[in-house]
Amino acid sequence: MTDELFFDTDCLSAFLWINDTNILHELYGGKIVLPEPVYQELSNPSIPHIKQRADIMISSKDISVKTIDTGTEEYKLYAELVRGEKGRKSIGRGEAGGIALAKTYNGVLASNNYKDIAPYIEKYNLKHIDTGQILLEALKRGLITEGDGNIIWSKMLAKKRKLPENTFSEYLVNKHKDV
């Protein structure tokens, strides 16, 4: 995959919470872009270890942070999404930043928050991945085994990350029968 990946807070934090970012490094190192609002969300003072882990990935050049400057195409869309203009429900700043940048730069949106992003994936024909698909790609590339995926998945669930199935194995069966 050569496109930049614009990560939402929930997708990146699934890996940061369990302190396992090697998969992201191996699959997407140097292609991960955090919209500035996502970096702000990761900078919550009550969970400093999350920001520290993100900062390590930034210093190793796995991640870059992109501001959404006023007056730009991405800012107009970002502001519209956050405000809920044109009769739409407002969405979070992290999701809005990811959508705006993925659309503007023809990148991939990385988010688990289907409830908020689904209409925009369809409307803007965005490429999209989520945590399950990242683990699936790691499995296909031989970076993890199914057992490793189950361990990672259970750690994410233990940290209250929202995932679509109880185990990675269930995800494989229910979402990707071709594996």
Side-chain angles (χ1 to χ4, degrees):
M1 186 177 285
T2 57
D3 296 332
E4 288 181 315
L5 290 99
F6 296 94
F7 269 75
D8 182 2
T9 306
D10 63 312
C11 194
L12 180 62
S13 67
F15 294 91
L16 295 175
W17 269 103
I18 66 167
N19 199 18
D20 190 345
T21 57
N22 190 52
I23 289 169
L24 298 177
H25 167 77
E26 291 295 324
L27 293 175
Y28 314 118
K31 298 175 191 171
I32 299 171
V33 179
L34 296 186
E36 178 66 26
V38 169
Y39 185 70
Q40 303 257 332
E41 289 174 356
L42 295 172
S43 300
N44 183 331
S46 66
I47 47 170
H49 59 283
I50 298 298
K51 179 183 182 295
Q52 290 166 355
R53 292 169 185 167
D55 286 342
I56 289 168
M57 292 186 75
I58 290 167
S59 66
S60 69
K61 307 281 190 239
D62 283 331
I63 291 178
S64 62
V65 178
K66 175 113 177 79
T67 58
I68 300 175
D69 297 322
T70 55
T72 61
E73 179 184 343
E74 61 262 32
Y75 182 80
K76 291 173 195 159
L77 177 57
Y78 169 77
E80 182 182 303
L81 294 169
V82 169
R83 287 189 209 120
E85 293 177 357
K86 300 184 180 176
R88 287 189 220 118
K89 178 188 136 209
S90 66
I91 64 172
R93 294 182 307 192
E95 290 91 354
I99 291 167
L101 292 173
K103 179 185 180 295
T104 303
Y105 296 100
N106 196 29
V108 178
L109 177 63
S111 176
N112 297 333
N113 190 349
Y114 283 97
K115 181 179 163 201
D116 286 345
I117 66 169
Y120 304 104
I121 290 172
E122 186 175 329
K123 178 176 180 173
Y124 301 123
N125 196 29
L126 296 177
K127 292 173 260 179
H128 170 257
I129 61 169
D130 61 23
T131 298
Q133 291 163 322
I134 292 169
L135 292 176
L136 177 62
E137 187 172 342
L139 176 67
K140 288 180 176 177
R141 298 236 331 246
L143 300 175
I144 63 170
T145 64
E146 185 174 336
D148 296 333
N150 281 315
I151 292 167
I152 293 166
W153 197 275
S154 69
K155 287 179 181 178
M156 288 176 176
L157 288 175
K159 290 294 186 180
K160 308 288 190 245
R161 303 299 91 200
K162 292 181 183 171
L163 298 172
E165 303 290 343
N166 292 320
T167 66
F168 182 55
S169 293
E170 284 179 26
Y171 176 83
L172 294 175
V173 169
N174 294 328
K175 302 292 183 189
H176 300 280
K177 297 182 188 328
D178 60 335
V179 177

